[in-house]
Every structure is written in structure tokens, then in C-alpha cells.
Amino acid sequence: MTIFLTSSPSGPLDGSRPVEGLDEKNSFVKNLKKCWKDKARCLIIAAAPSEHEGNDEMAAFFESAVKKAGLSVDFFEVWDDRNAEISKAELHSWDVVFLGGGHVPTQNEFFRQIHLRDKLQDFAGIVIGISAGTMNSADTVYAQPELPGESVDPSYTRFLPGLGLTQTMILPHYQMVKDSELDGKRLYEEITFGDSYGRCFLALPDGSYLMIQDGAETIWGEAYRVSEGTITRICEDGSSTGIEAMQR
């Protein structure tokens, strides 16, 4: 299994840098092409399993983006609650599995319902995480509060069991949300920093990603380590570094 845990594989969500197809920044498309099969069978697993129209639109968007990047696709399908009974054997017949973006706890619950963690064991293809899908790929997921009321709700669970594809807890869209406020508090300084004591988070702007191949984890592009209430840049755009940089 080769894994790409991205913030956004199709370019910045804030539109600050126009991208046609997949984002070529930090060798993403170049690295993807090295392991992409001809006429790949692609499956995207939804974050909102009951939002069928949106899921179909998401699949169509990423199919188009992949083709624009020059990658061959046989067909591109969606896994949501319309076909929640896909077996492990059926899943392993796909070449590429995308983990879609959306609301982290909602997707996390769907992943648990379909037993995705177990079904992905020994998968031999490519896994591409997108935003929430990337966050839910961790062994323990940090569900950074996102919606109004979540940061002050005592019943909101910030740490959830994930897919176990990595031990690294990733925070996407850093360039967009670093100055955001939620429930009258600064998202990073007053919420996430407090949750980082005794833990490490990897904050990625759109265009950066974590690549996992043969057990080796490599950070590509601008990236930040969030731990013990502080944030430190550990990689620059155009560069890459091993995951060991998280421990420095």
C-alpha cells in the first residue's frame, strides 16, 4: 500500500493558487504517477454517507482532476450508504481508494460502520486521503473542533479511533484556518494548542502532504509541528523530510 495523506490534492481551497486537475506542487503528481496503474479502478469513500448528490459530484470532480493530471482511469465509483456492504475482497479489487473530505466525526462513524479499518488491512493499492479522510487515517484521530458549538460542547469527542494507517495526527488547510475563530476563541492558540500537550499534530497547508511507502513516512512541502502549546515549522515548500522531524 502506498498512502498519500493530503490537505487538498486539487489545490488550495481558498483559491489563492489556481490549479487545473491535481496539484503538482511538492512533486505530488510526480510521486503519484510512479505507483499509478494504467486504467486504474478508483473508489472514493464518502464523509457524508447519506448526501448522495454531493457524493456523486465529488466523485465526478476528482475523476476529472485525475484525468487532467494525465492519469489513466477505467472507472470511478462512490462508496456511501447506497452500497455500504462492500466486502474486504471487493475493496481489494480496486486500485485506488480515496478517503473523501467533510466533517471528521461524521466520516469517522461511517468508517466504523463499514469496518473500513479491518478491510484496508493488507490493501495493495494506493490510498489518497483528502482533508477529513486524511485526519481519519490516523490510529488516534484528533477531531479538531470545526462547527459552531463543538469546542464548548462537553459531549464532543476530540479523540477518536481511526484507520491506523499512520500514528501521525494531521491538521489540514493550515493556511486557511490558522487565524480562524470558533465559539469566540482562536482556533489554534486557544483550542488546538491546549489539546497538543502530551501530543504532536502535523499541520499542513494545501499543497503539502504525508507520503507513506514501504513503512517510511515522508513529509512533502511546508509543514508545522504542533506540540506542547507551540508551533514550529519543520519543512519548507519544495523540500521533503522524514517523519522523524516531528520528534525534534
Side-chain angles (χ1 to χ4, degrees), residues 3-240:
I3 304 168
F4 297 85
L5 299 180
T6 77
S7 181
S8 171
S10 55
L13 297 188
D14 57 11
S16 58
R17 182 172 48 84
V19 171
E20 277 291 318
L22 297 178
D23 197 349
E24 297 189 7
K25 193 173 184 180
N26 295 307
S27 300
F28 175 62
V29 174
K30 180 180 178 181
N31 286 332
L32 193 56
K33 285 183 175 180
K34 291 177 182 177
C35 51
W36 191 278
K37 289 185 178 181
D38 186 47
K39 296 182 179 179
R41 303 174 72 251
C42 301
L43 178 71
I44 189 162
I45 307 178
S50 63
E51 296 181 10
H52 304 154
E53 183 177 352
N55 293 339
D56 290 341
E57 290 175 356
M58 175 178 60
F61 172 83
F62 280 106
E63 180 177 7
S64 175
V66 165
K67 289 178 177 177
K68 286 178 181 178
L71 297 165
S72 173
V73 174
D74 188 6
F75 52 89
F76 207 112
E77 294 190 4
V78 176
W79 187 359
D80 57 19
D81 65 8
R82 291 172 290 186
N83 51 356
E85 297 303 318
I86 292 177
S87 68
K88 181 174 181 177
E90 288 172 313
L91 178 62
H92 285 225
S93 72
W94 298 87
D95 300 307
V96 185
V97 172
F98 289 79
L99 307 173
H103 185 237
V104 174
T106 303
Q107 183 185 57
N108 188 276
E109 176 60 25
F110 182 55
F111 284 0
R112 287 203 298 270
Q113 289 174 0
I114 62 176
H115 307 288
L116 186 59
R117 180 173 177 135
D118 291 337
K119 290 176 181 177
L120 274 177
Q121 292 296 313
D122 304 315
F123 179 68
I126 298 170
V127 174
I128 301 175
I130 304 168
S131 188
T134 284
M135 297 171 77
N136 276 316
S137 295
D139 185 47
T140 298
V141 178
Y142 173 52
Q144 185 183 44
E146 175 186 1
L147 301 179
E150 286 182 342
S151 75
V152 295
D153 182 355
S155 66
Y156 180 79
T157 304
R158 299 190 186 190
F159 294 92
L160 302 164
L163 297 179
L165 301 180
T166 178
Q167 296 296 316
T168 306
M169 292 180 278
I170 297 176
L171 303 176
H173 314 306
Y174 178 68
Q175 90 285 356
M176 286 180 57
V177 302
K178 63 185 179 68
D179 297 320
S180 296
E181 292 190 357
L182 181 68
D183 302 323
K185 295 178 285 188
R186 291 175 295 172
L187 177 61
Y188 266 80
E189 289 84 350
E190 296 181 272
I191 299 174
T192 301
F193 280 8
D195 292 334
S196 74
Y197 284 92
R199 305 178 179 92
C200 281
F201 305 139
L202 176 63
L204 298 178
D206 295 348
S208 300
Y209 59 98
L210 178 67
M211 180 177 175
I212 307 172
Q213 190 170 42
D214 299 325
E217 301 193 19
T218 305
I219 300 165
W220 288 81
E222 183 181 349
Y224 299 83
R225 177 182 186 267
V226 180
S227 185
E228 305 302 324
T230 63
I231 186 165
T232 306
R233 187 183 298 221
I234 58 174
C235 195
E236 305 286 343
D237 265 335
S239 300
S240 62

